[in-house]
Amino acid sequence: MKAEPAVQRQLLELAKADAELSRVAHRRRTLPELTEIAEAEQQLRAHRDALVAAQTSASDLDRELARQEREVESVRARADRDRKLMESGSVSAKQLTDLEHELESLARRQSVLEDDELELMERREAIGLDTQRTAAEVDQAEQRLADAAKRRDEALADLDTTQARREADREGLLPRFPEPLLMVYERVREHRGIGAALLRARRCGACQLELDRSQISEIKAAPEDEVVMCENCGAILVRTLESGL
């Protein structure tokens, strides 16, 4: 294949644009913010689950406390009624004795219920503190996620700008190359990653391997407009004064 040396040298500009586009694509896939976001989302889900569990426990305890308070009030009301009957003087001696026994029983029952209620209140207070702490962790996790998403969006915006600039550069370069040369370049780039590279000091700029003597001899003997390729990686080798030929 033949191509003017100046046209071949312009392949280096195309390869430079393509290399940066490849770096942009790789950067998109490997942004550290993507890992941060995934971890932040996982932490946020865990904190939200913990918050729901704490809120559910608090709600259950609130219902239990309300039931306990009603029971305590019921015992108190019964004891007040019995005391009023005793103070009224309208009951017999036997009824008086029965009321005294019932008051003693109610007092013991009230004491047990109030102890249970106190324990429930202590548990409710602890769960309330746990709920507040977990809610704060949810807020912090949401903020971390928002911060990471903002940094990701900023990084992607920068990459979009670079990509648009390099794609424009590429579009401007393509008409300079004859179709057969461009087809070879694109085929090599698709399979090898780099379509063309500078031959510098007898070393291929694509695979970084030094060419052997026989290939160097062939390249030396080739006309300037002959398109030569690296036997190791297949990239088009662009010859300049730096090639060491």
Side-chain angles (χ1 to χ4, degrees):
M1 181 182 296
K2 302 286 186 178
E4 291 296 325
V7 173
Q8 293 188 44
R9 287 193 292 272
Q10 289 179 12
L11 282 175
L12 296 177
E13 297 180 39
L14 182 60
K16 181 179 178 181
D18 285 335
E20 187 155 4
L21 287 171
S22 296
R23 286 192 293 271
V24 166
H26 176 73
R27 174 71 172 157
R28 283 185 189 278
R29 296 191 301 269
T30 59
L31 281 175
E33 289 80 7
L34 297 178
T35 301
E36 284 187 56
I37 288 171
E39 292 175 351
E41 287 175 339
Q42 184 178 5
Q43 292 173 357
L44 181 56
R45 284 193 298 269
H47 290 315
R48 282 176 173 169
D49 290 345
L51 180 58
V52 169
Q55 290 172 336
T56 300
S57 296
S59 179
D60 291 344
L61 276 176
D62 286 339
R63 285 194 296 272
E64 182 65 16
L65 265 171
R67 186 194 64 78
Q68 195 78 359
E69 288 171 358
R70 288 194 299 271
E71 193 165 351
V72 170
E73 286 302 317
S74 175
V75 171
R76 286 174 180 167
R78 179 66 178 270
D80 289 343
R81 190 194 65 180
D82 287 351
R83 279 192 291 270
K84 288 179 181 178
L85 279 174
M86 292 173 62
E87 293 169 358
S88 67
S90 62
V91 296
S92 65
K94 183 178 182 306
Q95 288 176 322
L96 185 61
T97 300
D98 291 341
L99 287 172
E100 289 174 347
H101 290 162
E102 183 173 338
L103 280 172
E104 291 174 0
S105 177
L106 288 172
R108 289 192 297 271
R109 176 62 177 159
Q110 181 175 335
S111 177
V112 171
L113 290 173
E114 287 176 343
D115 288 344
D116 291 344
E117 184 179 15
L118 180 60
E119 180 184 351
L120 287 173
M121 291 173 67
E122 291 173 348
R123 288 171 56 194
R124 179 61 181 85
E125 182 180 4
I127 288 180
L129 294 173
D130 186 51
T131 301
Q132 292 177 7
R133 176 185 58 79
T134 307
E137 290 174 343
V138 168
D139 291 341
Q140 292 169 2
E142 288 176 340
Q143 187 59 53
R144 284 195 297 271
L145 178 58
D147 291 344
K150 181 181 178 182
R151 291 196 305 275
R152 176 205 58 193
D153 293 343
E154 291 172 348
L156 288 176
D158 289 342
L159 291 174
D160 288 342
T161 299
T162 301
Q163 180 175 339
R165 186 166 57 246
R166 291 297 169 257
E167 286 176 346
D169 293 343
R170 193 177 201 279
E171 289 301 314
L173 288 167
L174 292 181
R176 304 179 186 180
F177 306 107
E179 189 64 24
L181 178 64
L182 192 58
M183 289 178 62
V184 171
Y185 171 86
E186 295 289 12
R187 184 177 68 249
V188 174
R189 184 173 72 91
E190 181 180 353
H191 290 91
R192 302 286 186 168
I194 300 177
L198 176 65
L199 175 61
R200 176 184 284 122
R202 305 188 177 191
R203 187 180 297 274
C204 171
C207 63
Q208 300 301 317
L209 295 177
E210 187 172 351
L211 277 60
D212 59 33
R213 290 183 178 180
S214 63
Q215 189 174 8
I216 289 295
S217 297
E218 292 176 5
I219 292 174
K220 278 183 178 181
E224 286 187 357
D225 63 349
E226 182 76 23
V227 176
V228 297
M229 306 181 77
C230 175
E231 291 183 353
N232 297 308
C233 68
I236 297 172
L237 291 174
V238 179
R239 290 168 285 173
T240 69
L241 295 176
E242 301 178 52
S243 298
L245 301 176

